Amino acid sequence: METIKIGIQWWKGSFNEIAIRDFLIKYPEKFWKDTEVIIVYLYTTEWVLIALDDHRIDFWVFAISNSIGWLVDETMDFLGRYRWKLVATHEIKIEHALMIHPESELSEIHTIMGHDQALKQCEKNLEKYFPEKEKIPGKAELTDNAAIAAAVANEKLDRSIGSIGHRSLAEIYGLKIAKENLQDRDDNRTTFCIVWR
């Protein structure tokens, strides 16, 4: 059986992973019939593009735009630097939950951290439900929702910090869901591109 490697941005449980897994379920025969698919977590857009260019992965999945947050800045910064060809686009619904350490209580949470796009997509509801809590975007290795969730779970971040992201992160990293459906709009959707070298 042939094996292909699909590189994605960020960690296990990121929306990039959710998008490609959803695509593979909905279109199992479309591109990779009788093929073993391996998802490779490469964290940043640049690292994925370098891996694609170096033939370490066969395909790349990335978010291009969101119905609320518009174009994804990090993606746009790197697209023109490498050669690639569009294979397909795939859209998924984006839902956000607030997740906290399993031994924390919501009243103990002083800060909500998430990817900048996630905070934009939940801006009104975060202010409505949690006006007293500081909202900050993650930076560097903690840019992505999945990385932030992992850091909350393993206490690399203080227990007073809650993370936002897809509810599946709670199961993956052993967090407690404090509030679901934080996205400001029910039609919050992100379009992902699947490309090859």
Side-chain angles (χ1 to χ4, degrees), residues 50-96:
I50 290 169
L52 188 68
D53 204 46
D54 290 346
H55 296 243
R56 285 181 281 136
I57 58 173
D58 304 296
F59 294 86
W60 172 36
V61 176
F62 60 90
I64 190 74
S65 65
N66 175 266
S67 57
I68 299 173
W70 306 106
L71 293 174
V72 178
D73 293 339
E74 185 191 356
T75 298
M76 302 310 294
D77 288 343
F78 289 100
L79 282 182
R81 299 184 193 180
Y82 297 85
R83 294 176 60 107
W84 49 271
K85 182 177 180 181
L86 182 67
V87 174
T89 58
H90 187 61
E91 186 181 81
I92 62 169
K93 185 174 182 180
I94 303 294
E95 298 174 319
H96 291 288

Side-chain angles (χ1 to χ4, degrees), residues 6 8 16-24 32 39 61 194:
I6 302 176
I8 66 167
N16 288 269
E17 181 180 39
I18 291 167
I20 191 58
R21 291 195 184 280
D22 185 63
F23 180 82
L24 292 169
W32 304 301
I39 295 175
V61 176
I194 300 137

Side-chain angles (χ1 to χ4, degrees), residues 94-121:
I94 303 294
E95 298 174 319
H96 291 288
L98 172 62
M99 293 158 285
I100 61 177
H101 190 278
E103 295 176 21
S104 294
E105 297 300 328
L106 184 56
S107 60
E108 300 171 321
I109 303 302
H110 302 297
T111 303
I112 298 172
M113 185 184 290
H115 188 285
D116 184 56
Q117 284 275 329
L119 292 173
K120 287 178 187 175
Q121 293 163 22

